[in-house]
Amino acid sequence: MTRYKLKELKNTTLHEKKIQQAVQTKIQQRKPKRFVHISLITALISTAIILFVLNQLNPEQNRQNTNATESSTLLNIFHEIDGAGVAYSENFKERDMQHIRTLRYYREVSLTHFLNRSGVTFPYLPKPFNWENGTVIAVNDGYFTELQFHFKSDDHFFNISIAPSTINPLNVEELEDNLVDAAGNPMEIERINGSTAIVKQKINNGSGLVYRHYFYNKKNDAINVMAGSANEYYSYYNGLIYHIGYSEAAPVDEQQMDGFVKNFIVNNEIHMLNLEEATIEDNWLNRGGKTMLICLLFSIGSFSILHFLLKNASKKTTKITCSIVWVLLHTPILTWLVTFGSAVLYGDGFIGVGMLAISFPLLLIIGLCIILPNNRTFRRQLMLIHILVYLFTFSCSIYNEIERTSAIEQIEETL
Amino acid sequence: MDEQQLNLLMQQHTARLFRIAYYYSKNLHTAEDIVQDVFIKFYERNIELDSTSVERYLITMTTNKSKDYLKSWHYRKIIMQEKWLHTSSHKQRDALVIQDEEQLISEAVLSLPLKQREVVAYYYLEGYSIKELAEILNLNENTAKSRLVKGRDLLKDKLQSIEWEVLKNDTL
């Protein structure tokens, strides 16, 4: 029996032919050979980007590059190793900001070796310390190298730390008005000249601020920070912060030690060494560019992997997988990008923190609202969000670079 | 599956799949697109099935694809546009325009709610039994029956003024 057909469907031959032709054409167009080429090109570009990023991230590689271009530097005397912690003056940390540095650490060498390689001399130390058994540790914050000379005598130590700084943390007049350290112990000031002085913090009645210095951990082949108590000297002279300490119980003639410290600060030869050594190249990559590229790599990689993995997956699996990836990977990446972009645009980290608090939940909700409803084009919409965020962040970064370049040019013109 | 096998399948099933896609989309061009997508996807999946299962498989794919289309923004946009256009043109239309009977039946079937329209179409227009259509649409047989009864009642109301012998003699 012939079934009743709707009026529009009485004669569908033309439509059938059109369908068949369209299917045949589309299948012809989708030749696997072309697909292989695209995959190959994508794989090659991805590998190149990964290698580039890995190359940029490898500090040892960067270090070797630095060595190749600058054959004779102070850090060539040392060998970079792992380490943790920062040594700084507890009393002056808010003024010199030494405690916020991120450091690279270099293995301890003997003072004799250091002096031979650097070509400088070192004065004789007050008894019971002897410079011949001294060791030197170097740390670098990316721009400046800090040297620490450490001497031992029985259970006692004597430590001299020299760190370049562009900020003078000592306001002598202000200090003279209030000669008490953060723990309430009295301090002494000895002027070197009109504007500079040595601040002495001697431990009284067994109490005092913590004294930190680096030490070489042979077992782990790493530099760590040791905290203890010591009589301290602190000074800023010729662009260098001197932080000197010796064991509280060391049998030292205090007058002799005071004299040595003053003489050392004024006359030492260490200040002739080039302590301004940039181990981090000052370029766009090190000002957030590297992280942005890594984020971009992760985004492209995740979308490509999702595309291949979910090619034949059911709608439910697709949605669950995309939601998980959105929550665990895309939202944190996009949040960082928004935060970074805002902070760079306004030049204020607090705005970045504010944007972080706003953008994370917002992006999370927007993403899930796009993925979870019955929306066939949700992947395109997620990609669109990514593109917009990347455009914003890269634009902010480029704007910042332009501003920075013009500011540097202005300073140079003024000079 | 090679292209020859696909061509054979298309010759056998295109007409039916096209009709099914039309029952859902109510648009000939959209129905064409849906059926094209179904064949391409089936070809890419490269599934080996016997002839009966292939037909069921293709029908299910078409049904799902059509339902996806009905949920899409594209379709919703069209509906919105049609609503606006319909309202404005309706005012101008002469109430006494005479439409032929076939046109009225077609409009009545297509104006049924989706749940009733699909069972009516599968049962009356495509000739599937209740059991078969319940399997295709993944429904309980009783649900399919009740939807069919409701669909027929709605059709009765819509087609009060004309004869509809094509449907009225069928019993469940």
Side-chain angles (χ1 to χ4, degrees):
Chain A
M1 176 188 151
T2 314
R3 284 269 151 190
Y4 179 79
K5 283 181 181 172
L6 296 185
K7 190 188 175 189
E8 297 85 344
L9 302 173
K10 291 260 186 229
N11 186 6
T12 56
T13 326
L14 200 67
H15 295 291
E16 286 167 40
K17 275 186 184 167
K18 271 169 89 176
I19 290 169
Q20 288 168 13
Q21 278 170 2
V23 171
Q24 279 162 354
T25 319
K26 280 185 184 170
I27 285 170
Q28 288 290 328
Q29 282 172 351
R30 294 186 182 195
K31 284 185 176 173
K33 210 177 176 183
R34 196 178 155 210
F35 183 69
V36 167
H37 285 162
I38 292 166
S39 308
L40 206 67
I41 291 164
T42 314
L44 278 171
I45 293 169
S46 306
T47 317
I49 295 170
I50 289 167
L51 286 174
F52 171 74
V53 172
L54 285 176
N55 184 46
Q56 289 296 321
L57 286 174
N58 188 351
E60 196 62 33
Q61 185 67 35
N62 288 349
R63 181 86 187 92
Q64 281 167 7
N65 290 344
T66 316
N67 287 348
T69 50
E70 295 171 36
S71 54
S72 168
T73 64
L74 185 65
L75 288 177
N76 282 350
I77 300 170
F78 302 91
H79 181 78
E80 191 176 347
I81 54 171
D82 285 338
V86 185
Y88 54 87
S89 162
E90 191 70 40
N91 193 44
F92 292 98
K93 68 176 182 180
E94 298 305 334
R95 291 167 186 267
D96 62 19
M97 304 304 279
Q98 295 282 296
H99 62 297
I100 59 165
R101 293 173 298 167
T102 308
L103 298 173
R104 290 177 172 202
Y105 303 85
Y106 296 85
R107 190 182 287 136
E108 179 184 77
V109 295
S110 71
L111 180 62
T112 323
H113 175 74
F114 176 79
L115 297 177
N116 286 339
R117 291 286 304 274
S118 61
V120 292
T121 57
F122 204 86
Y124 287 102
L125 302 171
K127 284 182 181 177
F129 301 105
N130 186 353
W131 68 261
E132 284 170 357
N133 63 16
T135 55
V136 188
I137 287 173
V139 292
N140 185 289
D141 62 5
Y143 302 99
F144 299 117
T145 304
E146 178 184 350
L147 293 173
Q148 180 195 274
F149 302 89
H150 193 77
F151 309 94
K152 271 187 177 168
S153 169
D154 299 328
D155 292 337
H156 311 300
F157 72 86
F158 177 45
N159 201 72
I160 300 171
S161 153
I162 303 170
S165 171
T166 50
I167 312 160
N168 181 358
L170 289 182
N171 184 337
V172 182
E173 280 78 22
E174 195 185 302
L175 279 167
E176 278 175 341
D177 291 343
N178 184 22
L179 277 172
V180 181
D181 70 12
N185 285 320
M187 299 190 296
E188 289 172 39
I189 278 192
E190 186 181 344
R191 281 189 182 254
I192 299 172
N193 57 36
S195 60
T196 52
I198 303 169
V199 180
K200 298 171 195 172
Q201 296 168 257
K202 305 266 171 88
I203 287 177
N204 294 308
N205 307 321
S207 72
L209 293 170
V210 172
Y211 178 78
R212 290 182 175 82
H213 64 89
Y214 299 108
F215 79 99
Y216 174 56
N217 186 337
K218 276 184 187 170
K219 198 180 166 188
N220 301 331
D221 191 25
I223 302 293
N224 294 112
V225 172
M226 186 174 277
S229 64
N231 294 321
E232 295 179 45
Y233 296 88
Y234 188 90
S235 182
Y236 181 79
Y237 190 73
N238 274 346
L240 299 172
I241 292 173
Y242 291 88
H243 188 209
I244 300 167
Y246 65 93
S247 304
E248 185 192 352
V252 171
D253 180 336
E254 285 194 18
Q255 275 191 338
Q256 198 186 355
M257 182 58 89
D258 291 352
F260 168 81
V261 168
K262 186 178 179 182
N263 186 46
F264 180 82
I265 290 171
V266 176
N267 299 318
N268 75 78
E269 290 182 14
I270 307 298
H271 78 270
M272 295 192 294
L273 298 172
N274 182 17
L275 297 176
E276 278 186 42
E277 192 167 342
T279 50
I280 295 172
E281 214 179 316
D282 189 24
N283 57 22
W284 176 78
L285 282 175
N286 290 322
R287 283 195 295 274
K290 202 187 288 178
T291 321
M292 285 198 289
L293 287 177
I294 294 169
C295 288
L296 186 65
L297 185 72
F298 269 102
S299 296
I300 294 170
S302 60
F303 274 113
S304 311
I305 291 166
L306 281 179
H307 175 73
F308 284 109
L309 280 182
L310 303 173
K311 222 171 177 184
N312 296 322
S314 68
K315 212 185 258 181
K316 194 177 166 186
T317 316
T318 310
K319 282 187 178 179
I320 291 171
T321 316
C322 287
S323 303
I324 291 169
V325 172
W326 179 261
V327 171
L328 297 180
L329 186 73
H330 290 163
T331 310
I333 285 177
L334 294 181
T335 305
W336 183 86
L337 287 167
V338 172
T339 305
F340 176 75
S342 319
V344 162
L345 188 65
Y346 293 99
D348 190 345
F350 285 107
I351 288 176
V353 175
M355 283 305 287
L356 176 81
I358 298 166
S359 56
F360 185 78
L362 208 64
L363 283 166
L364 197 75
I365 293 163
I366 290 172
L368 292 178
C369 286
I370 290 172
I371 297 168
L372 296 178
N374 286 315
N375 183 358
R376 290 174 74 199
T377 57
F378 76 87
R379 279 191 229 179
R380 273 185 222 162
Q381 289 171 20
L382 294 183
M383 274 188 205
L384 186 70
I385 292 181
H386 272 80
I387 290 166
L388 289 175
V389 171
Y390 276 106
L391 274 176
F392 167 71
T393 313
F394 275 94
S395 310
C396 290
S397 181
I398 290 164
Y399 174 75
N400 181 50
E401 289 300 311
I402 294 166
E403 289 270 294
R404 192 186 165 85
T405 315
S406 59
I408 290 169
E409 278 170 5
Q410 272 184 355
I411 291 166
E412 280 172 356
E413 275 173 22
T414 318
L415 287 171
Chain B
M1 178 189 285
D2 57 27
E3 284 180 37
Q4 277 187 341
Q5 284 173 308
L6 181 74
N7 287 338
L8 196 69
L9 275 179
M10 285 199 289
Q11 278 166 16
Q12 288 171 347
H13 303 292
T14 307
R16 170 158 285 180
L17 298 185
F18 180 72
R19 287 199 301 274
I20 289 172
Y22 182 76
Y23 299 143
Y24 286 94
S25 64
K26 301 186 219 175
N27 183 299
L28 294 169
H29 295 293
T30 310
E32 267 181 34
D33 292 342
I34 289 169
V35 179
Q36 276 175 36
D37 282 355
V38 166
F39 279 120
I40 290 166
K41 208 149 214 178
F42 185 75
Y43 177 76
E44 282 173 352
R45 283 185 188 172
N46 201 13
I47 304 164
E48 294 295 328
L49 294 168
D50 60 69
S51 55
T52 332
S53 309
V54 165
E55 191 189 0
R56 284 289 170 84
Y57 194 85
L58 287 170
I59 289 171
T60 311
M61 276 181 83
T62 311
T63 311
N64 291 339
K65 197 103 195 147
S66 305
K67 284 181 178 173
D68 282 350
Y69 170 73
L70 296 181
K71 289 169 193 165
S72 70
W73 281 107
H74 180 248
Y75 177 73
R76 286 175 196 184
K77 199 172 76 187
I78 289 171
I79 293 293
M80 285 293 286
Q81 281 171 350
E82 271 180 7
K83 261 188 185 175
W84 282 98
L85 290 172
H86 181 72
T87 325
S88 56
S89 64
H90 187 70
K91 286 174 189 169
Q92 295 163 0
R93 220 166 81 179
D94 189 348
L96 298 172
V97 167
I98 299 163
Q99 289 174 299
D100 63 75
E101 202 168 274
E102 279 182 333
Q103 180 74 23
L104 287 170
I105 292 173
S106 182
E107 276 181 10
V109 172
L110 293 177
S111 67
L112 287 174
L114 181 65
K115 284 178 183 175
Q116 281 74 40
R117 194 194 324 151
E118 61 182 358
V119 285
V120 166
Y122 278 105
Y123 186 78
Y124 289 116
L125 305 178
E126 292 304 317
Y128 287 105
S129 66
I130 298 277
K131 194 182 170 190
E132 283 170 331
L133 78 87
E135 276 175 15
I136 291 169
L137 298 172
N138 199 18
L139 295 172
N140 184 297
E141 271 188 53
N142 291 328
T143 313
K145 269 184 197 173
S146 63
R147 283 186 187 180
L148 197 56
V149 170
K150 194 177 176 189
R152 207 162 55 173
D153 291 344
L154 286 170
L155 271 182
K156 262 185 202 172
D157 294 341
K158 287 177 194 288
L159 300 174
Q160 268 174 357
S161 55
I162 60 160
E163 294 295 321
W164 53 295
E165 294 85 358
V166 284
L167 307 177
K168 74 176 181 184
N169 294 327
D170 280 299
T171 51
L172 296 177

